[in-house]
Amino acid sequence: MHLPLNIENPEIIASIRQSELCWNDNFTDAISMFETFLDSNDFQLNYKRRVAFLFTELLQNTQKHSLNSKLSWCWIVKTNKGIEIHSLNPINQANLQKINSEFQLLSQSTAEQIKAKIKERIVNNTGGIGLMEIYRKASHFSHHLIQAKDTIYLYCKITHYENA
Amino acid sequence: MKTLNIKSTDYHPKVEYNKAAKQLMLQGKSLAENPQSWYQELIEEINPMLNRNEINTLMLHFEYFNTASAKQIYQLIKHCKTMQQTLTVEWHYNKDDDDMLETGEDYEEMCDFKFKFIEKGVGG
């Protein structure tokens, strides 16, 4: 399988690959590695929190949607430009239409509109908010790309480049 | 859940109850993928105290929490406020953590009553 990893000389900070449903030990290890990295690199608190949030959500997203026989992978790398968080998880074909509808809604909404939708779902306890929060918080970063890839995988790439 | 002084784990915040001050505090990270049972157990544990008016203040000091926890935290606040209408919610956030302050303001709006916001020094 071709992975959308096209980075020059990446330093992998945390990487977790999964083809089964249970990986709790790996999850805490990955979080721990990545927090150690952030703490040792003197990032601003807000930035650390945002990266922490996104990495956690993407990691749990790949865990939640991992399907037997298809690879889930979440990785965070440091490049000479900055930080990149990637995640790749298989899409259950039964959810494809729902996911595409969600993308359409998100792409046509402002950050405030997305936040209002998130609040509505929290208050009414209806629907998931993970993808919406990922999308909203990713907008704080230099670049973000969230897309269904070949209708088989959900691919997210969120980057923080110092000089972007 | 044997005691209300619960140590934090990789997935759950610590919980501390100060009986003299009638304060219940949750502090740390809430990252469990399925946190419903943990929060439900906490609610069941504090219900008798709420019934006896032994909790006046709910102090929330999160470093961060995932979206699965977001709904549970809202349910916890609403439940405590319903049981104890004079309840004060204190939303603690670290200095410079603008996102957590904004999140608290969002919760205040969703809950439809005033929170008390307290900025803490890092590590405070």
Side-chain angles (χ1 to χ4, degrees):
Chain A
M1 182 182 62
H2 173 69
L3 291 173
L5 178 58
N6 182 19
I7 305 167
E8 290 179 13
N9 303 317
E11 174 193 338
I12 294 178
I13 299 158
S15 172
I16 188 161
R17 298 170 66 152
Q18 185 65 27
S19 59
E20 300 293 335
L21 288 174
C22 298
W23 56 347
N24 282 346
D25 290 342
N26 290 344
F27 174 82
T28 52
D29 286 349
I31 292 285
S32 175
M33 278 190 286
F34 133 86
E35 286 187 333
T36 301
F37 166 78
L38 288 178
D39 287 342
S40 64
N41 278 271
D42 200 27
F43 291 114
Q44 285 186 340
L45 186 62
N46 260 356
Y47 174 67
K48 285 164 66 171
R49 294 278 186 267
R50 286 170 183 165
V51 177
F53 176 89
L54 285 167
F55 186 59
T56 303
E57 286 295 324
L58 291 172
L59 205 51
Q60 290 188 326
N61 206 37
T62 55
Q63 180 178 18
K64 187 177 175 183
H65 297 290
S66 63
L67 301 171
N68 288 338
S69 80
K70 286 201 175 73
L71 179 70
S72 279
W73 195 2
C74 187
W75 68 102
I76 179 166
V77 295
K78 182 180 180 186
T79 71
N80 53 6
K81 292 181 182 173
I83 304 287
E84 299 188 2
I85 312 169
H86 302 250
S87 78
L88 187 72
N89 63 266
I91 295 173
N92 186 328
Q93 292 300 297
N95 293 334
L96 187 58
Q97 190 175 356
K98 185 180 161 192
I99 290 170
N100 281 331
S101 299
E102 192 94 328
F103 280 139
Q104 194 171 3
L105 172 76
L106 291 169
S107 65
Q108 294 169 350
S109 305
T110 65
E112 284 306 308
Q113 286 170 329
I114 295 172
K115 188 198 271 193
K117 191 72 180 170
I118 291 167
K119 286 181 187 175
E120 180 189 314
R121 289 191 178 182
I122 290 175
V123 169
N124 297 323
N125 198 18
T126 53
I129 59 174
L131 192 57
M132 286 196 289
E133 275 288 26
I134 288 168
Y135 199 94
R136 189 174 76 88
K137 296 213 173 184
S139 67
H140 291 294
F141 289 81
S142 310
H143 306 283
H144 68 281
L145 168 72
I146 302 174
Q147 65 181 28
K149 185 173 177 59
D150 303 331
T151 73
I152 298 171
Y153 290 95
L154 177 66
Y155 173 57
C156 302
K157 174 185 176 184
I158 295 154
T159 61
H160 173 75
Y161 295 151
E162 295 293 344
N163 299 316
Chain B
M1 192 177 293
K2 302 293 183 191
T3 172
L4 270 182
N5 292 312
I6 303 162
K7 288 182 179 175
S8 61
T9 68
D10 290 330
Y11 296 99
H12 299 296
K14 75 174 177 182
V15 180
E16 285 184 358
Y17 176 61
N18 181 330
K19 190 172 183 178
K22 296 187 175 181
Q23 290 175 334
L24 180 71
M25 181 182 71
L26 277 69
Q27 183 176 27
K29 302 169 190 166
S30 185
L31 298 178
E33 191 183 352
N34 295 299
Q36 293 90 336
S37 59
W38 189 88
Y39 279 91
Q40 189 55 44
E41 205 172 335
L42 176 63
I43 283 174
E44 287 170 11
E45 194 73 25
I46 64 177
N47 270 341
M49 300 158 68
L50 288 164
N51 277 325
R52 294 192 299 265
N53 294 330
E54 291 175 351
I55 300 175
N56 286 342
T57 305
L58 177 62
M59 300 166 64
L60 301 171
H61 188 182
F62 289 104
E63 283 182 49
Y64 55 90
F65 52 84
N66 62 1
T67 53
S69 298
K71 288 181 179 176
Q72 302 305 314
I73 292 166
Y74 172 77
Q75 298 293 338
L76 174 68
I77 297 170
K78 289 294 281 185
H79 179 79
C80 290
K81 186 67 174 178
T82 301
M83 297 279 285
Q84 172 60 274
Q85 293 187 2
T86 58
L87 180 86
T88 298
V89 171
E90 287 185 2
W91 190 273
H92 295 235
Y93 60 98
N94 289 336
K95 187 175 184 294
D96 298 330
D97 193 352
D98 299 334
D99 284 3
M100 192 51 75
L101 171 60
E102 183 184 336
T103 300
E105 290 168 345
D106 290 340
Y107 271 80
E108 181 183 50
E109 187 184 325
M110 287 189 286
C111 292
D112 201 22
F113 65 91
K114 288 287 180 192
F115 288 8
K116 187 174 179 183
F117 291 95
I118 298 176
E119 181 183 279
K120 311 286 281 188
V122 175

